[in-house]
């Protein structure tokens, strides 16, 4: 049943003829008149009449026009300030990547892209994708086995089968990529269904798969000109050959957490030299236990994250070392740190030697922080601090039941073959860092004598379990202190597998040096450690710190700088 027209006056009764009149859409002139009338009403009247007079869309337009015309108005935001109900501040959204506005491109995918990321078909937004027939042949050749590459090849084949099996799918016209639920993909998938005419230089062997793909790209460029045809490949030599032939090519960038121009989140921030001068009138401070809290305001709050460390160091003024514990709108709360550089706060006999180590120890000893990432060059004390804090919280505080230590078994040089023994014995050669640091921690117990040190070492060994990453799937760690060493050699998928093993009361520490990646095909931008640092920054129960200065020896520090 059509609705009757809205009343022209407040609280007016409709005539009997109005109920019988057919519903009609108001003309443009009537809508303008109605909006002009709405613009002179009070906000309360707007809320009353919006449901019956102009609908939500017209009410919003009229209200914005009214606020813009009112002198001294700040727009729609001023209405929320005047309203009685409090408005919760929304978190700042990440700036979205600008969407491509020009003509759509045609991307030709190499086989290694599909085997690297089976979901890459849905990562190209509104652009189209073309798969040469030789790519399907190579996928079929790599589908057998239990390796990661074989699993990705099988998953890609299942995805292609699902796209081709949808109702109304026509391979000749292209398969819509959004038919399987991936609405972010607005393009089509094309297969090579005919022989393409192309000519390559005689120096390129015609039977090689890479050269056949290059020939397909050359043929498509001529056929679809002036549309841009781009070859996407993870193979550097393939991209070099394509550029030598004058073909457009690019690397697959979706797997990279950081671009080349981005910097990894450091976890600490130096306050400006005029920090106290600017905050002198608005700062609030209070004491709680042994910590001092400061509530600050100003533009610097927009660049802070939860659990980020800030420090103020100026000649002639007392230093400030604090951690961000709360951010609300334009205010932030800073909490001073516990000084682990002092001998009275030593952790298992270990004191920190520099500012970043003190930041890291505050994260490691905080029971409210469940996930800690430590990055730094060789000799910055990552493993030593993680072990010292773990032993203190397991043996002294009884916060965790045991320490579980694992690492990526990626060798620097040639593999020496299979290792004998049990799982723990096989992991022994990979855990040389554990033995070295336990030797340092054992020397601190000098007052108990040789028998006492031996008993302590035996107790420590009983509380430390060395596990292999290969058998982590399906496990759940309850009240454990988990140390993941050499995390820079993990892929994002492996990192997710390890972190999701954490049960109630478990703390995970990831350590690594992004300058020493030994895993093939991994870079600083695509490493699992970079992925974890970027995803966990700002989480109230996670923290990261980049250790800047080495404390191993003067030889190791100099070698890290010059070699």
């Amino acid at each position: 049943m059509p609705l009757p027209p809205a009343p022209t006056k407040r609280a007016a009764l409709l005539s009997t003829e109005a109920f019988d009149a057919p519903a009609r859409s108001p003309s443009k002139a009537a809508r303008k008149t109605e909006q002009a009338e709405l613009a002179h009403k009070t906000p309360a009247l707007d809320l009353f009449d919006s449901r019956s007079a102009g609908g939500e869309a017209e009410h919003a337009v009229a209200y914005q026009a009214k606020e813009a015309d009112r002198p001294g108005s700040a727009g729609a935001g001023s209405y929320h300030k005047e309203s009685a109900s409090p408005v919760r501040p929304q978190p700042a959204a990440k700036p979205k990547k600008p969407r491509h506005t020009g003509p759509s491109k045609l991307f030709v995918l190499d086989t290694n892209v599909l085997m690297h990321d089976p979901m890459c078909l849905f990562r190209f937004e509104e652009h189209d994708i073309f798969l040469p027939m030789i790519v399907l042949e190579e996928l079929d050749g790599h589908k057998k086995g239990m390796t990661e590459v074989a699993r990705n090849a099988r998953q890609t084949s299942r995805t292609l089968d699902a796209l081709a099996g949808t109702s109304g799918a026509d391979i000749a016209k292209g398969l819509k990529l959004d038919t399987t639920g991936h609405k972010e993909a607005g393009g089509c998938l094309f297969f090579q269904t005919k022989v393409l005419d192309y000519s390559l230089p005689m120096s390129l062997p015609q039977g090689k798969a890479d050269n056949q793909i290059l020939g397909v790209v050359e043929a498509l460029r001529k056929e679809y000109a002036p549309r841009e045809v781009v070859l996407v490949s993870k193979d550097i030599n393939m991209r070099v050959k394509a550029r030598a032939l004058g073909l457009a090519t690019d690397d697959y960038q979706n797997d990279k957490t950081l671009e080349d121009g981005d910097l990894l989140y450091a976890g600490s921030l130096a306050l400006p030299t005029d920090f106290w001068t600017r905050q002198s009138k608005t700062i609030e401070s209070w004491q709680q236990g042994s910590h001092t809290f400061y509530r600050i305001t100003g533009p610097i709050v927009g660049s802070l994250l939860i659990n980020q460390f800030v420090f103020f160091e100026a000649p002639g003024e007392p230093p400030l070392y604090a951690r961000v514990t709360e951010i609300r709108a334009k205010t932030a709360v800073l909490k001073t740190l516990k000084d682990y550089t002092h001998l009275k706060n030593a952790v298992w006999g270990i004191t920190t030697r520099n500012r970043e180590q003190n930041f890291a120890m505050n994260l490691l000893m905080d029971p409210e922080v469940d996930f800690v990432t430590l990055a730094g060059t060789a000799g910055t004390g990552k493993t030593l601090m993680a072990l010292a804090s773990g032993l203190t919280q397991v043996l002294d505080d009884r916060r965790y039941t045991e320490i579980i230590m694992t690492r990526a078994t990626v060798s620097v040089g040639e593999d020496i073959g299979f290792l004998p023994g049990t799982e723990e014995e096989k992991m022994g050669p990979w855990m040389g860092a554990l033995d070295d640091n336990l030797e340092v921690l054992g020397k601190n117990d000098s007052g108990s004598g040789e028998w006492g040190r031996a008993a302590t070492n035996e107790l420590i060994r009983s509380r430390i379990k060395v596990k292999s990453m290969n058998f982590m799937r399906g496990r759940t760690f309850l009240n454990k202190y988990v140390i993941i060493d050499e995390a820079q050699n993990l892929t994002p998928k492996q990192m997710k597998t390890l972190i999701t093993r954490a049960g109630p009361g478990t703390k995970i520490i990831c350590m690594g040096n992004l300058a020493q990646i030994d895993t093939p095909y991994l870079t600083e931008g695509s490493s699992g450690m970079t992925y974890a640092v970027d995803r966990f920054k700002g989480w109230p129960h996670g923290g990261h710190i980049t250790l800047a200065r080495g404390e191993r020896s003067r030889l190791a520090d100099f070698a890290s700088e010059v070699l």
Side-chain angles (χ1 to χ4, degrees), residues 297-365:
T297 59
I300 194 174
V301 176
S303 60
L304 297 179
L305 294 170
I306 297 293
N307 282 339
Q308 185 178 16
F309 292 92
V310 295
F311 60 92
F312 176 82
E313 294 176 340
E317 296 188 30
L320 170 69
Y321 303 104
R323 184 171 60 170
V324 181
T325 59
E326 180 184 320
I327 297 178
R328 287 188 179 181
K330 296 182 179 180
T331 64
V333 176
L334 307 181
K335 176 184 177 182
T336 56
L337 306 179
K338 188 174 182 179
D339 185 14
Y340 288 101
T341 60
H342 200 281
L343 192 60
K344 68 177 182 180
N345 295 326
V347 179
W348 204 262
I350 298 296
T351 57
T352 57
R353 297 185 179 181
N354 56 54
R355 180 180 61 220
E356 284 76 19
Q357 283 188 352
N358 192 34
F359 293 165
M361 193 62 80
N362 274 272
L363 287 176
L364 293 170
M365 295 298 293

Side-chain angles (χ1 to χ4, degrees), residues 89-152:
Q90 297 295 327
K94 289 185 178 180
K96 290 187 177 181
K97 187 178 179 181
R99 195 171 180 85
H100 183 75
T101 56
S104 63
K105 302 177 183 179
L106 181 63
F107 288 103
V108 182
L109 300 190
D110 195 1
T111 315
N112 48 48
V113 177
L114 295 169
M115 293 189 297
H116 177 78
D117 182 10
M119 303 302 293
C120 66
L121 295 171
F122 311 105
R123 310 291 193 202
F124 291 89
E125 296 181 347
E126 75 274 16
H127 304 288
D128 296 333
I129 297 174
F130 188 92
L131 293 184
M133 195 56 65
I134 189 63
V135 169
L136 300 179
E137 288 290 333
E138 287 192 308
L139 278 178
D140 187 65
H142 288 87
K143 68 181 181 181
K144 296 180 180 178
M146 296 299 294
T147 62
E148 188 76 16
V149 171
R151 282 193 289 267
N152 291 345

Side-chain angles (χ1 to χ4, degrees), residues 36 40 60 97 131 155 197 212 263 307 348 431 473 503 514 535:
H40 295 287
K97 187 178 179 181
L131 293 184
Q155 184 175 345
D197 184 21
Q212 293 184 40
L263 292 176
N307 282 339
W348 204 262
M431 288 299 171
R473 181 73 74 183
L514 291 172
R535 292 298 189 272

Side-chain angles (χ1 to χ4, degrees), residues 45 72 138 166 184 316 466 476 486 546:
L45 190 58
E138 287 192 308
T166 55
E184 68 276 9
V466 179
T476 301
E486 304 296 335
T546 299

